[in-house]
Amino acid sequence: MENLKTNKIFISGDEAVAHGVRLSRPHVIAAYPITPQTITVERLSEMVENGELDSDYMHVESEHSALSAAMGASSVGARTFTATSSQGLLYMVEAMHYASGGRYPIVMMNANRSVALPWSIYGDQRDSLSQLDSGWIQVYVEDAQEALDMMIQAYKIAEHAKVLTPMMVNLDGFILTHTYEMVEIPDQAMVDKFLPVFETPNKMCFENPKNMAFSSQPDDNTEFKYQQNQAMFDAIEVIEQTEKEFGELFGRNYQSMVEEINCDDADAVLVTLGSITGTVRVVMEQLRARGLKVGILKIRYMRPFPEKEIMALSHKIKAIGVIDKDISFGYEGTIFTNVNSALAKSNASIFKKNFIGGLGGRDITKAEIEKMYHDLLAGITSNNQKTVEFFNLKVETND
Amino acid sequence: MERPVKKDFKRPTHINDYPVGPQYEAGHLAETNASWRSVRPVVDNDKCINCLICYMVCPDGTIMKTDGKISVDYDYCKGCGVCAHECPKDAIAMVKEEL
């Protein structure tokens, strides 16, 4: 019977984000259009124009201004939204540290896209993964529904008194932003029930004036940074609690920091981030049907990082592979670095491999994923593979 | 118009004593903030008619009334001279600071 009440519409990931933002009722939206995020901000401006959304839409001349404007509004208690991608995100970087240091719970959508040079509008995750240290909570979604749902959850998490940290919701450029899917649009009254009004500790008022966003001397700077770090750790509990409440109210549960798929009896597990999880699910199920013990660890949050979950997993499995649509030149993929640090803390001696690929929008095929699983299973018995490998180069190399 | 009261600042001893991010109730962050002043405004209270234009234009809020007479808070006055420039009675002279 519940199914009859659904309100599903056929929209792109960008549009799903716009609906998620609309339902969260931000006071201020300040954003600058950039491919492949553009449709999100276009839809939002239409919603403001036709009165569906009562929000101030600020037209700004750049991403740096967009985030700066959002910061000003957020600092005095407005719920704010901005959105960007790739070069736009990198243009925001100075303000990103300001926003997290100021503890302004801005919510941002980032359409994951390659960064220049070579110039490319297509997807990979090098833009946001280069910003793990900017103090923002980072979540990555797998499909349009999750994108919409996470916009609503993001405000609840970011604005929580124990967190007060800005949050970035990442969705893969084109693969998610421009793909149309059936998406359930939640009821506004239920979203209002789920999402409380943002209460800032920094209301601007004449009775209780404040100095805002001041500087600090060496005597105090470390303590502010300690506090910021603690808030990020505290966010883990808030994320889990928010996820639970959301699941109970809306019937969709994303399993918090990570989603483990067939990991309990798995020999080899592939770690995924974002939309690639969908393709890996298909391959994993095909291999399971053939009797291979393979699983998936879908990382949802890169910051705070699911260290506890990865440490626990490391004692159950024999091989782990990390797919990185990213490379930190001269070392390895950034997701791998993070996963490997958790593995080192758990003293797990399992076979590890980092698969680098899908850069600049190159498709990752089912055949390639199947080979990754076979590499991992082979690695359990004989460790003669390279730890870090570009898996889909189309040419011979000098190695 | 009264001289602002300086609140005593107690250093935090626990992490929870810090505000959430760098925002705190307004107040003076420094006991004095005028070390680079090279000329100081001196009010001639015989010429002064208490029109308060100097109070209105002072960018640092350092003009105050002491016993009903206009005076300057030299702990914060930076010596910009706007008050002297705007005074309709030329009752404020900018006097070179002795080093």
Side-chain angles (χ1 to χ4, degrees):
Chain A
M1 285 300 287
E2 282 298 309
N3 286 343
L4 296 175
K5 289 184 196 162
T6 58
N7 178 29
K8 284 193 174 176
I9 56 173
F10 191 55
I11 49 172
S12 68
D14 270 346
E15 288 172 311
V17 169
H19 281 284
V21 173
R22 172 182 60 78
L23 290 163
S24 306
R25 302 184 194 264
H27 302 99
V28 174
I29 297 169
Y32 191 84
I34 180 170
T35 303
Q37 152 266 43
T38 314
I39 304 159
T40 297
V41 295
E42 282 177 356
R43 289 296 170 275
L44 283 168
S45 74
E46 286 164 13
M47 288 168 181
V48 171
E49 181 67 20
N50 68 25
E52 272 179 89
L53 172 58
D54 181 16
S55 184
D56 280 317
Y57 193 106
M58 292 180 70
H59 297 272
V60 287
E61 80 282 16
S62 76
E63 288 85 357
H64 191 280
S65 306
L67 187 52
S68 301
M71 221 172 4
S74 180
S75 70
V76 291
R79 177 169 289 163
T80 53
F81 177 73
T82 188
T84 190
S85 176
S86 180
Q87 310 299 130
L89 181 75
L90 299 185
Y91 193 19
M92 279 183 180
V93 170
E94 186 197 13
M96 285 176 67
H97 288 262
Y98 255 89
S100 59
R103 309 294 297 277
Y104 307 135
I106 300 159
V107 170
M108 161 154 69
M109 168 263 210
N110 180 54
N112 281 122
R113 171 186 141 179
S114 171
V115 291
L117 283 172
W119 182 260
S120 166
I121 60 166
Y122 297 107
D124 64 36
Q125 295 168 333
R126 299 198 56 241
D127 54 357
S128 56
L129 287 175
S130 75
Q131 295 311 312
L132 289 182
D133 294 346
S134 65
W136 284 56
I137 298 171
Q138 280 198 14
V139 68
Y140 291 75
V141 301
E142 185 181 344
D143 58 31
Q145 184 71 63
E146 192 180 356
L148 184 152
D149 292 345
M150 286 319 296
M151 299 318 301
I152 299 166
Q153 286 195 34
Y155 284 104
K156 186 148 174 155
I157 295 162
E159 292 169 0
H160 192 285
K162 283 174 83 178
V163 180
L164 288 171
T165 295
M167 178 153 167
M168 190 194 299
V169 179
N170 291 283
L171 57 163
D172 283 308
F174 293 105
I175 298 172
L176 293 185
T177 58
H178 284 60
T179 301
Y180 280 67
E181 297 176 51
M182 292 300 288
V183 175
E184 166 85 21
I185 308 294
D187 180 50
Q188 180 71 66
M190 273 167 72
V191 175
D192 290 345
K193 193 177 148 197
F194 173 78
L195 194 56
V197 173
F198 171 35
E199 291 290 344
T200 178
N202 302 315
K203 264 185 196 133
M204 193 171 268
C205 67
F206 291 116
E207 289 72 32
N208 186 20
K210 285 201 165 183
N211 287 319
M212 301 287 293
F214 50 69
S215 54
S216 78
Q217 294 298 312
D219 265 357
D220 299 299
N221 196 287
T222 311
E223 281 70 20
F224 279 112
K225 293 298 143 190
Y226 175 89
Q227 201 188 44
Q228 222 179 311
N229 190 40
Q230 198 54 48
M232 193 65 103
F233 282 124
D234 289 347
I236 294 174
E237 198 191 328
V238 175
I239 288 165
E240 286 165 356
Q241 190 187 310
T242 304
E243 190 71 57
K244 194 165 165 276
E245 268 178 59
F246 188 89
E248 282 164 9
L249 204 54
F250 297 96
R252 287 183 295 278
N253 201 309
Y254 298 102
Q255 294 188 30
S256 207
M257 299 292 288
V258 297
E259 182 184 345
E260 289 189 20
I261 309 139
N262 282 339
C263 285
D264 284 341
D265 68 336
D267 291 331
V269 164
L270 264 180
V271 178
T272 61
L273 188 72
S275 63
I276 189 61
T277 314
T279 319
V280 179
R281 281 178 200 269
V282 175
V283 176
M284 186 269 295
E285 277 159 21
Q286 287 169 353
L287 296 180
R288 278 268 166 185
R290 281 189 247 155
L292 297 179
K293 288 183 175 176
V294 290
I296 304 169
L297 181 77
K298 170 188 167 184
I299 291 184
R300 299 186 70 241
Y301 284 85
M302 279 300 291
R303 286 292 180 276
F305 192 68
E307 182 186 60
K308 188 182 68 182
E309 289 81 354
I310 292 168
M311 287 173 75
L313 178 71
S314 70
H315 297 299
K316 294 194 282 192
I317 61 174
K318 295 171 185 158
I320 193 165
V322 178
I323 304 176
D324 255 292
K325 294 202 305 195
D326 162 73
I327 172 73
S328 179
F329 303 114
Y331 199 30
E332 58 197 15
T334 296
I335 309 168
F336 185 70
T337 303
N338 282 266
V339 170
N340 209 9
S341 169
L343 294 174
K345 286 174 198 162
S346 77
N347 291 318
S349 56
I350 57 175
F351 179 69
K352 300 175 256 185
K353 187 156 176 175
N354 186 199
F355 302 98
I356 309 285
L359 301 178
R362 182 170 294 179
D363 287 334
I364 300 174
T365 65
K366 285 190 275 187
E368 285 164 339
I369 294 165
E370 185 174 338
K371 186 175 179 303
M372 290 175 201
Y373 273 125
H374 288 305
D375 283 356
L376 293 179
L377 291 167
I380 295 169
T381 45
S382 79
N383 189 354
N384 58 358
Q385 299 176 45
K386 281 199 320 189
T387 305
V388 183
E389 186 184 290
F390 276 70
F391 66 85
N392 58 3
L393 285 173
K394 292 186 173 180
V395 294
E396 295 294 318
T397 65
N398 295 325
D399 290 343
Chain B
M1 300 254 12
E2 298 296 315
R3 188 175 199 212
V5 180
K6 289 179 195 170
K7 280 177 269 187
D8 283 338
F9 175 68
K10 272 194 208 156
R11 279 209 60 79
T13 56
H14 189 276
I15 193 72
N16 293 345
D17 296 339
Y18 275 89
V20 178
Q23 15 266 343
Y24 196 57
E25 56 188 75
H28 292 276
L29 290 170
E31 289 289 303
T32 57
N33 199 11
S35 60
W36 60 83
R37 184 175 61 230
S38 57
V39 284
R40 64 162 59 199
V42 177
V43 183
D44 182 341
N45 290 113
D46 293 335
K47 284 189 187 172
C48 173
I49 56 169
N50 275 335
C51 70
L52 302 182
I53 284 176
C54 54
Y55 170 75
M56 295 296 286
V57 299
C58 174
D60 280 301
T62 65
I63 307 283
M64 58 193 176
K65 260 187 185 172
T66 308
D67 301 329
K69 289 177 179 176
I70 292 295
S71 63
V72 179
D73 185 344
Y74 293 114
D75 283 348
Y76 297 101
C77 168
K78 295 178 183 65
C80 70
V82 172
C83 54
H85 189 268
E86 295 299 323
C87 177
K89 293 292 172 188
D90 290 331
I92 302 176
M94 298 305 289
V95 180
K96 197 164 186 286
E97 289 282 0
E98 297 299 328
L99 293 177

